[in-house]
Amino acid sequence: MEAALAKRAHTYRSPLLSLWSRNELADNVVAFLPPTNLPKLPIIAKPFRAAQPLVLFTAARRLKVVDQMLASCVDVLRDVVPEANRFVETWARGLGQWQMHPDASGYLHADVVGSPPCLRLRGTPGPTHEGLSRSFQSLRKLTVRRLRISRWSCMDIRGALGYVWFYDHRGQFEKCVGGVYKNGGQLCFLARDSNEGPNTTMLCPVDPDTRYDIDASFSDADEDHMMDATITVSIDGVPQVTRSIRSLTIPLHRIKVYNYSHGEAHIGEIE
């Protein structure tokens, strides 16, 4: 009698655990709980801890945010185990380590929208080349070997918008390394062909609401500290134009994104 009671007590399972053990009801249990309570499930019992990945995926599927969840997971893994000499901004974690320049605060409005996420820039602190920025800390000199920008677009034809530019440690416009932006109705690439100042190359006309993918690769520097840059612009994966230019090699320290004119621009993943 005592042995039977001990065995019965040992094998007793709460109604919630019994429901959880039936896979067809797991979705219903998750649907019943508010999303803010899901992180508390693993502390209830071991079966909940084991099923936590499935719980989160089920909740994301019901809320139709699977893409955002996966992007955030990948972003976290990249932060924990970053690839050497590689920078990727997916915007899945918001503005994160980006800083707004004091001169741009209150004038340039930046937020993350859409799925997959992209940065939306509205307004301008201009005329000035300031906005959001992020610095790279390294004991070695850094140079840009490849630049890829996904889903770049502008809502306005006029003005200079959607700047994605690289700078040296001084961060001054006159010492910029180069980058992408729209001027008037043209998508442009800026590079330095000498120490005197930047040089602009027109890539292609810009249509409102059209998303462009920009892929620029840079060769090794020669004896004159010059490198060859090849820029390809694509729409929906179809290359539209390719340009080759010469560019001065300058140590990379900072990336800036901003609008120089009033308007709206969207910038997707930066790699």
Side-chain angles (χ1 to χ4, degrees), residues 91 94-95 100 108-113 118-122 132 264-267:
W91 309 112
L95 299 182
M100 182 70 75
L108 177 66
H109 303 282
D111 57 356
V112 176
V113 297
C118 69
L119 174 68
R120 178 173 61 179
L121 298 173
R122 293 176 292 173
L132 288 174
E264 180 176 330
H266 293 193
I267 299 169

Side-chain angles (χ1 to χ4, degrees), residues 11-218:
T11 58
Y12 172 76
R13 304 184 70 180
S14 68
L16 183 59
L17 286 177
S18 298
L19 285 174
W20 189 259
S21 66
R22 300 175 59 183
N23 292 332
E24 70 273 13
L25 292 180
D27 282 0
N28 294 331
V29 174
V30 172
F32 173 77
L33 293 174
T36 54
N37 288 349
L38 295 181
K40 301 175 183 178
L41 282 176
I43 66 176
I44 296 177
K46 186 175 180 179
F48 290 103
R49 291 195 294 273
Q52 183 69 352
L54 176 61
V55 171
L56 296 176
F57 182 82
T58 301
R61 186 187 63 202
R62 286 182 172 274
L63 296 172
K64 303 186 184 328
V65 292
V66 172
D67 290 342
Q68 294 95 313
M69 185 192 74
L70 293 178
S72 296
C73 290
V74 171
D75 202 26
V76 169
L77 293 176
R78 283 173 174 168
D79 287 345
V80 175
V81 189
E83 295 184 39
N85 303 322
R86 185 168 179 256
F87 165 76
V88 179
E89 178 57 81
T90 65
W91 309 112
R93 300 177 69 185
L95 299 182
Q97 301 180 38
W98 293 82
Q99 295 182 338
M100 182 70 75
H101 192 277
D103 292 345
S105 181
Y107 298 96
L108 177 66
H109 303 282
D111 57 356
V112 176
V113 297
S115 177
C118 69
L119 174 68
R120 178 173 61 179
L121 298 173
R122 293 176 292 173
T124 177
T128 180
H129 291 278
E130 298 295 349
L132 288 174
S133 68
R134 180 168 175 174
S135 298
F136 303 104
Q137 304 297 331
S138 175
L139 297 177
R140 298 178 298 170
K141 289 185 177 181
L142 302 177
T143 57
V144 180
R145 298 305 305 272
R146 189 172 186 182
L147 168 63
R148 290 193 291 188
I149 305 174
S150 304
R151 307 185 314 281
W152 183 100
S153 64
C154 279
M155 306 300 108
D156 305 273
I157 290 296
R158 297 181 179 180
L161 303 168
Y163 283 64
V164 182
W165 279 15
F166 298 94
Y167 289 79
D168 67 1
H169 67 283
R170 288 162 289 190
Q172 301 171 354
F173 170 71
E174 294 78 9
K175 300 299 181 181
C176 62
V177 179
V180 174
Y181 70 110
K182 182 190 76 70
N183 189 12
Q186 293 284 329
L187 178 61
C188 303
F189 191 88
L190 180 137
R192 296 179 62 85
D193 56 6
S194 69
N195 284 310
E196 298 301 323
N199 181 49
T200 294
T201 299
M202 293 184 180
L203 300 176
C204 65
V206 173
D207 293 326
D209 297 328
T210 299
R211 295 183 175 183
Y212 299 87
D213 296 323
I214 301 105
D215 190 339
S217 58
F218 304 87

Side-chain angles (χ1 to χ4, degrees), residues 215-232:
D215 190 339
S217 58
F218 304 87
S219 68
D220 292 327
D222 57 25
E223 295 179 354
D224 297 326
H225 302 289
M226 298 291 293
M227 56 186 177
D228 295 318
T230 302
I231 308 103
T232 299

